[in-house]
């Protein structure tokens, strides 16, 4: 089972997690370590009723570049030229990274649990979204604990069909997000992150 980088505690890794847009096509760890982190997240991140609905596709090196070339091609066909030129600056930044993880939810498995537990039928789609978000957070935090920079994108659903074809993704997998990573070439996007007062966002009862 993968562990956090030895120099960091879990709490430190959570506090240090940030969004990095300036990335190079290098990695701070072997590909096998990235695979290990994602595999452990898939195996051990919780899900409602142990439904295990989340799926991931890991794209490294040229496969990562291919994914962003597809995205660029799709959006060039969909956007006016001026809008595409703006978007393409962002696309090129993502393309410059080392890898992308595609996050999916398996709709067949969601429906299976809806049918199995009729009392909670209307809840499973929401619970499915929750577990996918947990997978994203676990992997994001673990990758950055290894010295990588990460950002999270959402260019679905326009790219869904092309990615299904190119990477042989089952049609029942519903794309949720694209996580880009690579070696950071500058600091995080929000150097001085502002926080709303914790007192407005948290309540405690019965503490001793």
């Amino acid at each position: 089972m993968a562990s956090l980088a030895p120099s960091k505690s879990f709490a430190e890794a959570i506090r240090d997690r940030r969004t990095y847009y300036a990335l190079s096509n290098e990695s701070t760890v072997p590909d096998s370590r990235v695979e290990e982190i994602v595999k452990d997240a898939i195996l051990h991140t919780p899900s409602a009723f142990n439904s295990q609905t989340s799926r991931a596709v890991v794209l490294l090196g040229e496969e990562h570049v291919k994914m962003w070339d597809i995205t660029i091609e799709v959006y060039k066909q969909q956007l006016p030229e001026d809008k595409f030129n703006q978007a393409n600056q962002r696309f090129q930044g993502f393309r410059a990274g080392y890898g992308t993880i595609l996050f999916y939810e398996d709709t067949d498995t969601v429906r299976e649990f809806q049918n199995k537990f009729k009392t909670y039928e209307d809840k499973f789609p929401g619970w499915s979204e929750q577990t996918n978000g947990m997978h994203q957070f676990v992997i994001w935090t673990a990758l950055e604990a290894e010295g990588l920079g990460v950002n999270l994108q959402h260019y679905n659903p326009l790219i869904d069909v092309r990615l299904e074809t190119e990477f042989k993704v089952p049609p029942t997998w519903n794309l949720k997000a694209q996580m880009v990573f690579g070696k950071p070439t500058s600091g995080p996007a929000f150097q001085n992150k502002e926080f709303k007062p914790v007192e407005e966002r948290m309540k405690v009862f019965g503490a001793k």
Side-chain angles (χ1 to χ4, degrees):
M1 179 178 177
S3 59
L4 285 175
S7 61
K8 287 200 175 188
S9 70
F10 181 56
E12 288 171 332
I14 291 173
R15 286 194 294 267
D16 290 345
R17 185 212 54 79
R18 290 291 182 271
T19 294
Y20 288 82
Y21 290 118
L23 305 172
S24 75
N25 62 349
E26 299 175 284
S27 179
T28 59
V29 294
D31 292 349
S32 59
R33 177 59 173 162
V34 175
E35 185 177 347
E36 181 184 25
I37 287 170
V38 177
K39 184 182 296 184
D40 275 349
I42 291 291
L43 284 174
H44 300 295
T45 302
S47 57
F49 287 73
N50 195 30
S51 52
Q52 302 179 50
T53 54
S54 295
R55 308 288 183 264
V57 175
V58 181
L59 305 174
L60 302 170
E62 291 303 314
E63 297 302 309
H64 152 84
V65 171
K66 183 189 298 182
M67 178 261 159
W68 286 104
D69 284 344
I70 289 171
T71 304
I72 291 167
E73 181 182 337
V74 169
Y75 272 81
K76 188 173 185 179
Q77 294 172 353
Q78 295 289 330
L79 296 178
E81 184 176 358
D82 59 331
K83 297 291 186 184
F84 171 75
N85 290 336
Q86 294 176 19
N88 193 39
Q89 294 179 25
R90 296 192 296 274
F91 294 147
Q92 294 300 330
F94 307 141
R95 186 181 186 276
Y98 182 76
T100 298
I101 301 168
L102 306 177
F103 289 86
Y104 290 87
E105 283 296 298
D106 185 355
T107 56
D108 269 359
T109 304
V110 174
R111 281 192 292 270
E112 174 189 338
F113 276 80
Q114 286 179 299
N115 292 330
K116 190 181 296 185
F117 300 100
K118 286 293 187 179
T119 303
Y120 305 106
E121 183 176 6
D122 62 329
K123 302 296 184 184
F124 276 102
W127 290 338
S128 166
E129 298 286 343
Q130 291 171 13
T131 194
N132 203 274
M134 285 191 280
H135 281 76
Q136 294 168 29
F137 175 75
V138 167
I139 293 171
W140 188 338
T141 304
L143 290 176
E144 290 201 351
E146 299 285 352
L148 289 161
V150 179
N151 63 74
L152 190 67
Q153 303 305 316
H154 303 86
Y155 287 103
N156 41 295
L158 291 181
I159 59 176
D160 292 18
V161 174
R162 288 289 305 276
L163 298 188
E164 284 177 15
T165 302
E166 184 63 39
F167 299 112
K168 298 179 174 58
V169 177
T172 59
W173 290 16
N174 186 6
L175 183 61
K176 299 299 181 182
Q178 305 86 52
M179 182 174 288
V180 185
F181 63 93
K183 186 176 180 179
T185 58
S186 66
F190 307 103
Q191 296 281 359
N192 299 307
K193 185 175 180 179
E194 295 184 1
F195 298 91
K196 293 182 179 180
V198 174
E199 295 77 12
E200 297 177 4
R201 304 159 62 193
M202 174 181 172
K203 295 182 183 292
V204 179
F205 300 92
K208 296 182 180 179

